[in-house]
Amino acid sequence: MSLLDRGTPPDPFDVLPVVPSFTLTSDDFADGDALTKEFAHTSADGANASPHLRWSGFPAQTRGFVVTAFDPDAPTGSGFWHWLLVDIPASVTELAHGVANGDPAGLPAGSFHVRNDYGTADFGGAAPPPGDRPHRYVFAVHAVDVPSLGVDSSVTPAVVGFNLAFHTLARGVLRTTYQR
């Protein structure tokens, strides 16, 4: 048996509490599209650019947003967190292409990155093992009922996810794939 012979994990939102949805779009790809190398990690010969995201239709009581990107297919037993941007003000409804490059000056005021599973505080692009099946990348914007999730940049992605379970009002999701 090889590393690549394994079951298919569930989509993360199939096992979390159901919340209403709102519209999430990108100028860089549509739901269901395969990502291009532009959104692959540098370790996979990509440009490691974070995608443009725009959202609308979230609940009026939204006090802030959190952006996440997760690969449930990573051969880790726990998936792989690629992006966690926390405490985005409720007035922000769009992130520019490439904004999550690690320079906090380009982020919305008050927001910050939590370290992804690469160990960096930025967007970390797709990098599935060569020859593996297509990996799913789940980009989500979570509308939350608080202006601050109450965490700092030292927490793990699991702590962010735990707090989101108690504060998410609604969620916009784009699902993409990548294979090499």
Side-chain angles (χ1 to χ4, degrees):
M1 179 179 243
S2 85
L3 167 73
L4 304 181
D5 294 328
R6 61 193 188 283
T8 302
D11 181 297
F13 300 122
D14 289 347
V15 296
L16 290 174
V18 175
V19 296
S21 64
F22 58 88
T23 302
L24 176 60
T25 60
S26 175
D27 290 347
D28 294 321
F29 50 75
D31 189 55
D33 281 356
L35 295 173
T36 64
K37 272 193 162 189
E38 186 166 4
F39 308 104
H41 193 262
T42 54
S43 66
D45 299 322
N48 206 48
S50 61
H52 165 268
L53 297 175
R54 178 185 310 108
W55 53 93
S56 62
F58 47 86
Q61 64 269 36
T62 298
R63 304 279 311 279
F65 298 100
V66 174
V67 170
T68 60
F70 182 72
D71 171 5
D73 299 311
T76 63
S78 60
F80 197 93
W81 288 98
H82 287 265
W83 192 13
L84 297 102
L85 182 57
V86 178
D87 291 357
I88 301 168
S91 60
V92 174
T93 58
E94 188 169 14
L95 294 174
H97 175 97
V99 73
N101 63 4
D103 180 3
L107 298 176
S111 67
F112 60 92
H113 281 112
V114 169
R115 238 179 332 218
N116 58 40
D117 281 337
Y118 288 111
T120 60
D122 58 6
F123 172 78
D132 202 5
R133 64 180 176 235
H135 282 218
R136 297 166 290 161
Y137 295 87
V138 183
F139 291 86
V141 176
H142 310 261
V144 295
D145 62 359
V146 291
S148 173
L149 204 55
V151 300
D152 63 32
S153 63
S154 70
V155 301
T156 64
V159 171
V160 171
F162 180 81
N163 281 279
L164 282 172
F166 297 98
H167 292 289
T168 299
L169 298 168
R171 178 182 305 119
V173 179
L174 286 173
R175 291 172 176 86
T176 63
T177 61
Y178 191 75
Q179 182 178 29
R180 60 183 184 136

